[in-house]
Amino acid sequence: MTAVPVSLTDVRELVDGALRAAVGRLDPRTYRVAAYHLGWTDEEGRPRAAPAGKALRPALALLSARAALAPQESALPGAVAVELVHAFSLLHDDIMDGDRTRRHRPAAWTIFGEASAILAGDALLALAGEVLLEAPGQGSARAAHALAAATRGLIAGQSLDMDFETRRKISLDECVAMAAGKTAALLACSCAIGAVLDGAPESLSDALEAFGADLGIAFQLVDDLLGIWGDPDATGKPALSDVRSRKMSLPVVAALNAEGPHAERLAEMYGRADLSEDDLREVAALVEAAGGRAWAEREAERRIQRAAEHLASARLPEPVRAEFLRVADFVTRRDH
Amino acid sequence: MTAVPVSLTDVRELVDGALRAAVGRLDPRTYRVAAYHLGWTDEEGRPRAAPAGKALRPALALLSARAALAPQESALPGAVAVELVHAFSLLHDDIMDGDRTRRHRPAAWTIFGEASAILAGDALLALAGEVLLEAPGQGSARAAHALAAATRGLIAGQSLDMDFETRRKISLDECVAMAAGKTAALLACSCAIGAVLDGAPESLSDALEAFGADLGIAFQLVDDLLGIWGDPDATGKPALSDVRSRKMSLPVVAALNAEGPHAERLAEMYGRADLSEDDLREVAALVEAAGGRAWAEREAERRIQRAAEHLASARLPEPVRAEFLRVADFVTRRDH
């Protein structure tokens, strides 16, 4: 398994307390749903040990404070806020997409009902703004505005994603735009929020945000590659899971938009409801033969390179730059 | 029909443009759901004439700027933001409660589906913060924080309301707490937000908020009275609609918690699924006989009086105070 950079493991502990304090403000019924969704409790409300998630966004938020020469602790409200928005979006996405499983457990809505899960998501979103606006310092309003704008981008991405389900033809540009909203908007905000909280000049926060935007697209490309060719033991998802669900992921849309017989055969098979295990393997092979896999791998590399260039333009302290790059490296080389 | 104070009719025009500009930022699919929900368009996206709603919250927001001796236009971002949060909550409440009708039209989720309606609500909530944080002046962060906290209160109220549906016994205190969250929290915020935006001292914004909190409870009491004894021609709802849906409204809970045979008979009948029109009328009579109607009427009066006392303590300009009181009077004397 790919090694997780130190920052990602340390962060969970640092952020966990602040996150729990924030969520603890919710009314008891809403808290129960949120705590389950965040992996803190089981269906009965009993504490459970294993914390869920990669804490990628909080790690980037803390790093971004160091980019502005501020102590990473100063970005804690930002780290908590981006994680709250991330949790809100997963909670609502599972309802909207009808996904019954989240991180190897039943999705919150399947346990508590759709109504309670909708409400808990709403609460997490409102709470994110509340927490951020309590951060000391001049930058909190700017940070909260950036987070609200990122949330709008995230919602636009989800909206486009749902629209795709009703359509036969999706261009690659549209598919990238979807990932730019659904995945990259919040990652970009996470990469800058600590600097914004510290009142850093826009030239710095813009560069960090641009880094995060490209990192976010690379993240989604790798996610989509793992969704087809990932090792089930590492990803925790069944083999070929994205093919099984006919997900209009980036490699698939790239392949569908290629010319030639592979793309045509792929389009025909992807529209069918009844694919055998052999068929699923053939679909994956067609995505590869039509060039979808190679494109996605190249594009992920290109995005990471562009992300690194944005960083270089920002003149960060060398250890901070190196750590941002380690996270980028982790994102592209991870196997789950 | 009770006359609507001038402020409530003028406000819609003033706020409408700013509200449309804000909602116009949403992606086209989300915009469509929001515009329908706000009454601007029909199911096909065609403009329609009649704007919906009382614009009560925006009116209070603009008034609250004048309470701080600021021009009412300075509170426009606040007026837009509270209306966006109100719209968000109605959109999600209809899904959570399974209500198929809103303001004489099919609820948005019945037209666009639950997923799109959830997402549009999310977008309106995020947008409220974005708009507010773009307001010029020092008070915007404080206002956005107050609005986020009010949203948490609103959510806690809805959570309690959903909890009531699973329980047999509800105390009057719990029912008042539910109304304090679901109805009064956002009204209280609306009554102060213009002053907060202007950077008014907390003594003023606290007094305005306290006014709004009592006004909000009175508003809900009147709503609940109309839900049982309102004239269908004025309310636009079927007669006895809240009895039909077995709503645990304030007069009903007050009656259920009274001692005696009327309360007992009421509890027995309210638990039955099969009530005839005659039965519904008997239930309404039992709520009245058990003292629920009289209590609600008295309590609404008492809350309006308390609200007026909060205003008196704030030493507002006389015309502003008079207008706040006219709104309070409208709230309690309205027939719809």
Side-chain angles (χ1 to χ4, degrees):
Chain A
M1 193 188 279
T2 323
V4 179
V6 179
S7 59
L8 293 196
T9 47
D10 285 357
V11 160
R12 173 59 67 185
E13 226 169 290
L14 191 58
V15 174
D16 201 53
L19 191 58
R20 283 175 192 261
V23 176
R25 296 187 195 178
L26 301 180
D27 68 87
R29 290 158 305 278
T30 307
Y31 174 83
R32 196 168 165 181
V33 183
Y36 171 85
H37 175 64
L38 287 160
W40 301 340
T41 53
D42 68 10
E43 310 177 11
E44 306 296 329
R46 291 173 300 226
R48 62 193 276 280
K54 298 189 245 311
L56 176 63
R57 290 158 197 81
L60 292 167
L62 297 190
L63 251 180
S64 74
R66 292 173 54 202
L69 309 180
Q72 67 174 3
E73 287 74 14
S74 68
L76 259 182
V80 168
V82 294
E83 195 67 354
L84 287 171
V85 171
H86 182 54
F88 136 77
S89 78
L90 297 181
L91 196 45
H92 279 192
D93 280 4
D94 284 345
I95 306 168
M96 290 187 265
D97 301 340
D99 288 338
R100 304 190 64 87
T101 306
R102 162 75 51 195
R103 289 175 187 147
H104 317 291
R105 298 198 304 160
W109 69 269
T110 68
I111 307 284
F112 301 97
E114 284 189 34
S116 294
I118 292 172
L119 197 59
D122 294 345
L124 294 174
L125 178 55
L127 194 57
E130 216 181 330
V131 167
L132 204 45
L133 288 161
E134 285 164 15
Q138 46 171 345
S140 74
R142 217 177 105 208
H145 184 264
L147 185 61
T151 305
R152 181 155 56 84
L154 189 156
I155 288 166
Q158 168 70 0
S159 171
L160 201 49
D161 198 15
M162 295 192 325
D163 187 49
F164 288 172
E165 281 166 35
T166 67
R167 289 165 45 183
R168 278 193 58 239
K169 192 81 191 154
I170 297 158
S171 75
L172 191 51
D173 280 354
E174 284 178 306
C175 198
V176 171
M178 189 270 280
K182 199 167 169 177
T183 309
L186 188 58
L187 267 176
C189 179
S190 304
C191 288
I193 201 163
V196 173
L197 274 170
D198 193 56
E202 275 187 33
S203 58
L204 175 59
S205 57
D206 285 355
L208 293 172
E209 208 178 301
F211 165 80
D214 276 317
L215 178 68
I217 302 283
F219 183 90
Q220 190 56 56
L221 285 159
V222 172
D223 228 48
D224 288 351
L225 287 164
L226 291 172
I228 303 179
W229 295 283
D231 174 4
D233 288 342
T235 62
K237 292 181 194 168
L240 300 163
S241 61
D242 282 0
V243 179
R244 224 173 281 272
S245 64
R246 308 292 190 281
K247 185 175 169 188
M248 283 296 184
S249 67
L250 287 157
V252 170
V253 172
L256 285 169
N257 281 285
E259 306 276 300
H262 297 308
E264 274 168 40
R265 170 92 178 130
L266 174 64
E268 187 267 313
M269 289 191 77
Y270 226 62
R272 276 166 46 194
D274 57 329
L275 296 184
S276 68
E277 291 297 309
D278 279 347
D279 290 339
L280 294 176
R281 277 187 288 274
E282 187 188 339
V283 166
L286 284 168
V287 175
E288 187 158 358
R293 182 177 191 170
W295 173 82
E297 288 171 347
R298 268 198 327 270
E299 183 65 10
E301 282 299 330
R302 191 180 74 85
R303 291 284 182 167
I304 289 295
Q305 235 160 42
R306 263 181 41 168
E309 286 161 22
H310 291 303
L311 271 198
S313 78
R315 297 166 197 272
L316 308 182
E318 188 46 36
V320 177
R321 195 179 73 94
E323 197 148 356
F324 266 123
L325 291 178
R326 276 205 298 164
V327 174
D329 198 57
F330 165 68
V331 161
T332 37
R333 296 197 197 288
R334 73 203 156 93
D335 56 7
H336 67 286
Chain B
M1 192 189 278
T2 323
V4 179
V6 178
S7 59
L8 292 196
T9 47
D10 285 357
V11 160
R12 174 56 70 183
E13 228 170 288
L14 191 59
V15 174
D16 200 54
L19 191 58
R20 283 176 191 260
V23 177
R25 295 186 195 179
L26 300 180
D27 69 87
R29 290 159 305 278
T30 308
Y31 174 82
R32 196 167 164 182
V33 183
Y36 172 84
H37 175 64
L38 287 159
W40 301 339
T41 51
D42 67 11
E43 308 177 12
E44 305 295 329
R46 290 173 298 226
R48 60 193 279 280
K54 298 189 249 306
L56 176 63
R57 289 158 198 81
L60 292 166
L62 298 189
L63 251 180
S64 73
R66 292 173 54 203
L69 308 181
Q72 68 174 2
E73 287 74 12
S74 68
L76 258 183
V80 168
V82 294
E83 194 68 352
L84 287 171
V85 171
H86 182 54
F88 137 78
S89 78
L90 297 182
L91 196 45
H92 279 192
D93 280 4
D94 284 345
I95 306 168
M96 291 187 265
D97 302 340
D99 288 337
R100 305 191 63 88
T101 306
R102 162 76 51 197
R103 290 176 188 146
H104 316 292
R105 299 198 305 159
W109 69 269
T110 69
I111 307 283
F112 302 97
E114 282 189 36
S116 295
I118 292 171
L119 197 59
D122 295 344
L124 294 174
L125 178 55
L127 194 58
E130 216 181 329
V131 166
L132 204 44
L133 287 162
E134 286 164 15
Q138 46 169 346
S140 74
R142 215 178 107 208
H145 184 263
L147 185 60
T151 305
R152 182 155 56 85
L154 188 155
I155 288 167
Q158 168 70 1
S159 171
L160 202 49
D161 197 14
M162 295 192 323
D163 188 49
F164 287 173
E165 281 166 34
T166 68
R167 290 165 44 183
R168 277 193 59 241
K169 191 80 191 156
I170 297 157
S171 74
L172 191 51
D173 280 353
E174 285 178 305
C175 199
V176 171
M178 189 271 281
K182 201 166 168 177
T183 309
L186 187 58
L187 267 175
C189 180
S190 304
C191 288
I193 201 163
V196 173
L197 274 170
D198 193 56
E202 276 187 32
S203 58
L204 175 58
S205 57
D206 285 354
L208 293 172
E209 209 178 303
F211 165 80
D214 276 317
L215 178 67
I217 303 283
F219 183 90
Q220 190 57 56
L221 285 158
V222 173
D223 229 47
D224 288 351
L225 288 163
L226 291 172
I228 303 178
W229 295 283
D231 174 3
D233 288 342
T235 63
K237 293 181 193 167
L240 298 162
S241 62
D242 282 359
V243 179
R244 223 174 282 273
S245 63
R246 309 292 189 283
K247 185 175 169 188
M248 282 298 182
S249 66
L250 287 157
V252 171
V253 172
L256 285 169
N257 280 286
E259 306 275 301
H262 297 309
E264 274 168 40
R265 169 92 177 130
L266 174 65
E268 188 267 311
M269 289 190 78
Y270 226 62
R272 275 165 47 193
D274 56 330
L275 295 184
S276 67
E277 292 297 308
D278 278 347
D279 290 339
L280 295 176
R281 277 188 289 274
E282 186 187 340
V283 166
L286 284 168
V287 175
E288 189 158 355
R293 182 177 192 169
W295 173 81
E297 288 171 347
R298 268 199 325 271
E299 183 64 10
E301 283 297 331
R302 191 180 75 88
R303 291 284 182 166
I304 289 294
Q305 233 160 44
R306 262 180 43 167
E309 285 162 22
H310 291 303
L311 270 198
S313 79
R315 297 166 198 270
L316 308 183
E318 188 47 35
V320 176
R321 195 179 73 94
E323 198 149 354
F324 266 122
L325 292 178
R326 276 205 298 163
V327 173
D329 197 57
F330 165 68
V331 161
T332 36
R333 297 198 195 289
R334 73 203 156 95
D335 55 7
H336 66 290

